[in-house]
Amino acid sequence: MIADQLILNKKENKTTYKDDKTSEKPIRSIAKAFSWRVIGTVDTLIISYILTGEFSVAASIASIDFVTKMILYFFHERFWNLVKWGK
């Protein structure tokens, strides 16, 4: 019953690949990457502080982590935006 409604709603709201491709702009990927990295960096900072006991070392680790993973996430998002599977 619920599955039928989900399937029917999915078919009714189905978009074309062209619509999906243009709906996710690079700036949105950047905003998503940035917001996720803030959360991830706070996590890394806390874990690094617990493991090292030194805030300066933890902050260094978190800073490097923030930059590298934000860049990786951006390209990961852009790649998945090109994949037709699951759209």
Side-chain angles (χ1 to χ4, degrees), residues 1-2 8 10 13 15 17 24 29 35-37 41-42 45 61-62 76-77 81 83 86-87:
M1 175 186 243
I2 294 173
L8 289 174
K10 197 171 192 176
N13 295 330
T15 59
Y17 173 71
E24 184 83 4
S29 293
S35 66
W36 178 245
R37 283 318 316 148
T41 299
V42 169
L45 180 66
I61 293 168
H76 179 262
E77 276 285 303
N81 207 28
V83 175
K87 285 190 174 190

Side-chain angles (χ1 to χ4, degrees), residues 3-33:
D4 292 342
Q5 290 177 351
L6 289 173
I7 292 169
L8 289 174
N9 286 340
K10 197 171 192 176
K11 286 181 182 177
E12 292 170 5
N13 295 330
K14 193 164 180 132
T15 59
T16 65
Y17 173 71
K18 186 177 178 182
D19 292 337
D20 287 344
K21 183 178 175 186
T22 59
S23 67
E24 184 83 4
K25 305 276 190 247
I27 192 72
R28 179 177 164 84
S29 293
I30 291 170
K32 287 167 59 177

Side-chain angles (χ1 to χ4, degrees), residues 68-82:
T68 57
K69 289 191 178 160
M70 187 168 56
I71 293 167
L72 289 171
Y73 181 83
F74 173 80
F75 287 109
H76 179 262
E77 276 285 303
R78 300 314 301 161
F79 169 77
W80 273 101
N81 207 28
L82 298 174

